[in-house]
Structures are given as structure tokens and as C-alpha cells.
Amino acid sequence: PLPGVDFTPLGFAAAILAIHQVVLRPGVLETIPLLRDRVLEKLIEGVVVVSRHGRIVDINSAAVSLLRVGRNVLSSARISSYVEGFCLDTLMRSGNESMEVVLGNRTYDVTGSLLDSTNPDSDVVLVFRDVTTRRETERALRTARHQLEHLAHTDPLTGLFNRRYFMMRLKEEAERSSRHQTELSVLLV
């Protein structure tokens, strides 16, 4: 607005002061490690950040106790040396980005996510979720179901198949005979 006067340097100075007061004020950059400790360390799931080549970058306390090693050893280690049969490429190539691993006597569902979804070579966050109780419950339910089927289809006194089982098998065989257009014979003794 005034001939011979340039306000650009004054504008730059005002912008730098504003940036300093709002963005770079003391304490803002120091909160990032604090937030990491407050959030990541409180999780009951094990969280491990690994490079695309499988080297461990960061790890929370739950994962340290899960892998049963010291935090100082993990800083330059590969995740595959602590989790037997673990292949990061297989996990990241699969559509669901999840796999089950067994550590000791516990079963874990491991979910992997890229830190930067736009960069396929970015670090990967692995979350170890304990699914041992769920697997044991599913196994117990399958066993109970088989036992109930056995009880429903057998005579408790003789242990032979009962009428219900006979009718179910007769229906299956009649459907098979109809499907293949063959004859069906039934002999009752």
C-alpha cells in the first residue's frame, strides 16, 4: 500500500511468532512419549511395531511378557526369532490380515496393520490377542455336540443305533438313490 515499503518480512516474522506460540510451545513435543506410555503400555494386548523386514521397532509391556524376553534384547531382533512359524509377508498378503500363533500353551490371534496405508513398505503394527479360552470353549462345545448326537442316536442299554438314527439314514439313502437314479432295497430283520 505504501510505495517503497514491503510488509512481507514483517508478515514472516508474525507467522514465526504465531507458530512458536501455538505449535512449538514448550511441552507439546514432549507429550508424544507420554501419550505412548499412557495408551500403549496400558493395553492388555501385546503390541509390536515391526519394520517391513521383520525387525522389531517398538514393543509394549504386554508383548515383552508375552515373548518372555528383555526389552533391550528386542530392539534389534526379528519377530520371527520369537514367534515360531511367523511370516510377516504371509500375514500382510492375506486378505484378512490376521493369523493364529501358539506361544507356550496359549493361542494368540495376531492382527497386522500398516502404519501408513499409502506406503506398502511402511512399518507394521502387530496386535497379539489371547484367544486360548475361546478356542478351548469351542473345542468343548464340539465335544459336547458329538456326545449329544451319540446319545440321541443310540440306545443307552444296548449301545445300538435307535429308530431316529435309522430314519435319518434311510432318508439320506433315499435321497442319494433318487439323485443317482438307482434302486434302493431295505431289509428289516
Side-chain angles (χ1 to χ4, degrees):
L2 299 172
V5 177
D6 187 10
F7 289 108
T8 306
L10 188 59
F12 279 129
I16 288 173
L17 283 174
I19 289 172
H20 182 272
Q21 290 300 317
V22 175
V23 178
L24 298 177
R25 71 174 189 258
V28 169
L29 296 179
E30 287 81 23
T31 61
I32 293 172
L34 178 66
L35 288 175
R36 181 217 175 269
D37 288 342
R38 290 180 72 188
V39 174
L40 200 59
E41 294 298 329
K42 300 293 183 206
L43 292 174
I44 60 171
E45 286 91 8
V47 178
V48 182
V49 179
V50 295
S51 70
R52 196 65 173 136
H53 304 291
R55 292 222 176 267
I56 297 174
V57 176
D58 194 11
I59 187 166
N60 72 347
S61 298
V64 167
S65 64
L66 174 101
L67 297 176
R68 296 187 180 136
V69 290
R71 194 181 289 265
N72 56 348
V73 176
L74 290 172
S75 61
S76 62
R78 290 188 173 284
I79 187 71
S80 58
S81 62
Y82 296 101
V83 182
E84 187 177 325
F86 183 79
C87 182
L88 185 62
D89 289 334
T90 303
L91 176 67
M92 296 314 293
R93 266 188 267 132
S94 66
N96 57 4
E97 296 177 350
S98 176
M99 68 186 316
E100 280 192 6
V101 297
V102 176
L103 296 171
N105 59 353
R106 310 292 294 173
T107 304
Y108 295 90
D109 179 51
V110 181
T111 307
S113 301
L114 291 173
L115 279 177
D116 181 5
S117 60
T118 61
N119 181 6
D121 291 328
S122 75
D123 292 344
V124 178
V125 177
L126 302 175
V127 178
F128 289 76
R129 187 167 291 116
D130 191 351
V131 293
T132 306
T133 306
R134 182 174 61 180
R135 293 295 175 247
E136 290 171 353
T137 304
E138 289 171 356
R139 194 175 310 114
L141 282 173
R142 274 194 303 275
T143 302
R145 185 176 144 252
H146 290 302
Q147 289 174 343
L148 285 174
E149 283 179 4
H150 178 73
L151 289 172
H153 295 147
T154 57
D155 181 282
L157 183 62
T158 63
L160 298 175
F161 290 119
N162 60 16
R163 181 179 180 276
R164 179 182 296 128
Y165 183 76
F166 171 75
M167 296 304 288
M168 181 184 74
R169 291 292 294 141
L170 181 63
K171 181 180 176 188
E172 289 173 3
E173 291 302 323
E175 289 172 356
R176 183 190 333 251
S177 175
S178 174
R179 202 172 41 244
H180 295 293
Q181 297 177 351
T182 59
E183 293 184 13
L184 175 67
S185 300
V186 177
L187 176 66
L188 296 174
V189 180

